[in-house]
Amino acid sequence: TMMINVQHESKTEKICLDEGSTAENLLSCMGLMPDAYIVLKGKLPIPIDCILSEGDSIKLIKVASGG
């Protein structure tokens, strides 16, 4: 297992995931819809199929949609 630091809705938490987990696995583990969030690793957006590593710092930004 590995620990990922996740910033979401102005709080930071540590999430434990299996080795080889992706950003999509992270969102799923947190009960979040992948198409509703932009995933940032550092300051760069990453695709949801990007494999995460131990100690990564991830920021989740909710996507606003509608009209």
Side-chain angles (χ1 to χ4, degrees), residues 2 4 9 13 15 26 29 31 36-37 42 46 48 51 54 66:
M2 61 182 178
I4 305 294
E9 294 180 355
E13 55 187 302
I15 303 290
L26 171 66
C29 174
Y37 289 86
I46 60 170
I48 60 170
I51 295 175
E54 172 76 30

Side-chain angles (χ1 to χ4, degrees), residues 3-64:
M3 295 297 292
I4 305 294
N5 299 307
V6 182
Q7 184 180 349
H8 174 244
E9 294 180 355
S10 73
K11 61 185 171 197
T12 302
E13 55 187 302
K14 292 187 185 295
I15 303 290
C16 188
L17 294 173
D18 291 332
E19 293 285 336
S21 291
T22 63
E24 185 173 20
N25 298 136
L26 171 66
L27 291 168
S28 229
C29 174
M30 297 177 72
L32 304 174
M33 298 294 295
D35 58 349
Y37 289 86
I38 295 172
V39 181
L40 301 177
K41 185 175 177 180
K43 294 185 179 188
L44 299 174
I46 60 170
I48 60 170
D49 61 354
C50 181
I51 295 175
L52 303 176
S53 301
E54 172 76 30
D56 277 350
S57 290
I58 300 297
K59 183 175 183 179
L60 304 177
I61 300 176
K62 189 162 179 67
V63 176

